[in-house]
Amino acid sequence: MNANSNIRSGNPLTSLRRAVGGFSDGARDWWAAAPRWTRWTIYGLLIALVIVAPHPAIGSFMSPYSHWPSLLFSPIGTFVLLAVGLNVVVGQAGLLDLGFVAFYAIGAYTMAVFATKFGWNFWGILVIAIFMTAVSGIVLGSPTLRLRGDYLAIVTLGFGEIVRITAQNTDYIGGARGITNIPHPPTIFGVDFALDPLPYYYLLVAAIVLVVIFAKRLERSRVGRAWEAIREDEDAAELMGVPTFRFKLLAFFVGAMIGGLTGALWASKVIAIQHNNFPFILSATILAAVVLGGSGNLPGVIIGAFLIAWLPERFRGFQDYRILIFGGALVLMMALRPEGLLPARRRRAVSGNGGESGDTDPGATEAGGQAAEEVAK
């Protein structure tokens, strides 16, 4: 064992992995111990950065080959919002969902149908879209959430394909041609959404801020502790008195609402949608963003989604090689940080240093039981 440990210690990849892990873990621990005024100062700086992000000077470096303000909305902003929603299901509740794009599609088609066929107001449709996707989350979850692991993943994957194929074959919602001429939101305070992409960006930023606050409050509540207990050990949570099915259904409900909100905002921006806009690979990409950033940790998930959306555009100048470079960058990041760039603290404790065997913290395995006890009280 000592010889193997020495070999691992001399491995350059292992040393680099530990260095990267030490840096990100140190930053996370510093943030956890930071006083309130420090946190609010950083929040203010982040808000200021988000406000000035569309500036051409920033865009000239971040995206020299694409229109930066449009890129900030889609795919960067939409990926971030979708990743926050999927993190509720996968990261907090531990449910592997491969059909999350279905909720995105339902929200987009709800916006398109009610706007083009009934002429409803944008804000009213937005509420309807969130409601429709929440109901679809319950419809999907009710018969399937008694399944686990691979079986649940296969069922959710099938649900995503069912929604896409139904959209393709239903003439009422455009069939294979899709829906065009989706109206923009009405002018607000003199801001015309039809002429400028920036209002869409700030609208999406406002939605992300509200959703992140909502998700964090859920994470720190009794609901979040129940999700944590289910994620760590569902059988133990159920034995401790946690109504696991009810809380898993709630996770699908919340995740579906966020997915529907994103789809509705995106549809009003692009003004034309088709079934091909909602392939399975989009679900896989958002899942990759959650895993890359650190499943269960919101800041990490946001960073992961940003990188997944931004890197292919940054490498667009390499033409046919840009996807190869993008894939290589992802492989390198996961090799250096297999548990994610900023994993949740308890997840990091369970995986040990760099994911190596023998470094696991025994106390971390009790996380699920402790959370279950708190919920059952």
Side-chain angles (χ1 to χ4, degrees):
M1 292 292 293
N2 292 334
N4 291 337
S5 299
N6 291 333
I7 292 174
R8 287 202 306 267
S9 299
N11 189 328
L13 180 60
T14 301
S15 301
L16 183 58
R17 180 189 302 164
R18 286 178 171 173
V20 173
F23 175 78
S24 60
D25 287 343
R28 185 196 57 210
D29 294 340
W30 172 83
W31 176 258
R36 183 183 295 270
W37 68 267
T38 302
R39 294 191 177 198
W40 281 107
T41 300
I42 295 178
Y43 289 148
L45 293 175
L46 288 175
I47 292 173
L49 177 61
V50 167
I51 291 174
V52 303
H55 194 277
I58 298 176
S60 62
F61 169 76
M62 297 296 289
S63 180
Y65 311 104
S66 305
H67 186 241
W68 177 237
S70 297
L71 188 65
L72 280 173
F73 177 86
S74 180
I76 292 176
T78 53
F79 274 27
V80 168
L81 194 52
L82 286 172
V84 172
L86 185 58
N87 182 62
V88 171
V89 180
V90 176
Q92 293 183 238
L95 307 172
L96 184 55
D97 184 356
L98 295 181
F100 193 71
V101 70
F103 304 125
Y104 182 55
I106 292 172
Y109 270 97
T110 300
M111 174 62 70
V113 169
F114 279 88
T116 59
K117 294 185 178 295
F118 302 105
W120 285 25
N121 180 271
F122 169 83
W123 302 107
I125 302 173
L126 199 61
V127 175
I128 296 295
I130 295 172
F131 173 78
M132 291 286 288
T133 48
V135 171
S136 69
I138 294 176
V139 170
L140 170 63
S142 296
T144 62
L145 283 177
R146 300 190 189 280
L147 302 174
R148 300 185 188 180
D150 298 340
Y151 302 101
L152 178 61
I154 292 170
V155 171
T156 55
L157 188 156
F159 177 72
E161 288 300 291
I162 287 170
V163 170
R164 185 182 64 83
I165 294 172
T166 300
Q168 179 182 0
N169 296 321
T170 304
D171 292 334
Y172 183 77
I173 56 175
R177 297 186 309 274
I179 301 177
T180 59
N181 298 320
I182 304 171
H184 294 286
T187 301
I188 304 174
F189 303 118
V191 176
D192 191 346
F193 286 83
L195 301 177
D196 190 356
L198 280 181
Y200 277 104
Y201 165 69
Y202 291 117
L203 178 62
L204 190 62
V205 166
I208 291 172
V209 170
L210 292 176
V211 167
V212 166
I213 293 173
F214 176 64
K216 287 300 292 184
R217 291 189 64 87
L218 277 179
E219 182 182 345
R220 295 170 179 172
S221 69
R222 182 173 180 268
V223 173
R225 293 193 295 272
W227 285 340
E228 182 183 348
I230 294 169
R231 181 189 69 205
E232 299 299 333
D233 192 329
E234 184 173 344
D235 291 328
E238 196 159 357
L239 288 173
M240 293 296 293
V242 178
T244 56
F245 178 77
R246 186 189 309 169
F247 281 108
K248 289 195 295 183
L249 193 60
L250 180 59
F252 261 68
F253 178 86
V254 173
M257 286 196 304
I258 299 172
L261 169 64
T262 312
L265 292 173
W266 176 79
S268 69
K269 169 68 167 61
V270 298
I271 71 172
I273 61 173
Q274 289 182 314
H275 67 281
N276 291 331
N277 297 131
F278 312 102
F280 161 72
I281 191 63
L282 182 56
S283 289
T285 302
I286 301 304
L287 180 60
V290 173
V291 174
L292 172 66
S295 180
N297 187 23
L298 267 178
V301 167
I302 292 172
I303 294 173
F306 175 83
L307 291 175
I308 289 287
W310 171 65
L311 285 177
E313 297 298 329
R314 186 62 182 83
F315 296 140
R316 183 171 289 278
F318 294 93
Q319 298 180 356
D320 295 339
Y321 298 99
R322 70 187 182 99
I323 300 301
L324 178 64
I325 296 172
F326 170 63
L330 293 185
V331 170
L332 178 62
M333 284 190 285
M334 292 309 297
L336 296 178
R337 192 67 167 165
E339 61 278 355
L341 297 175
L342 288 174
R345 300 186 73 182
R346 285 180 174 176
R347 285 284 181 94
R348 176 62 178 165
V350 170
S351 63
N353 295 329
E356 298 175 16
S357 60
D359 294 327
T360 302
D361 180 3
T365 59
E366 301 177 4
Q370 293 173 356
E373 289 179 2
E374 293 175 1
V375 173
K377 288 180 181 179

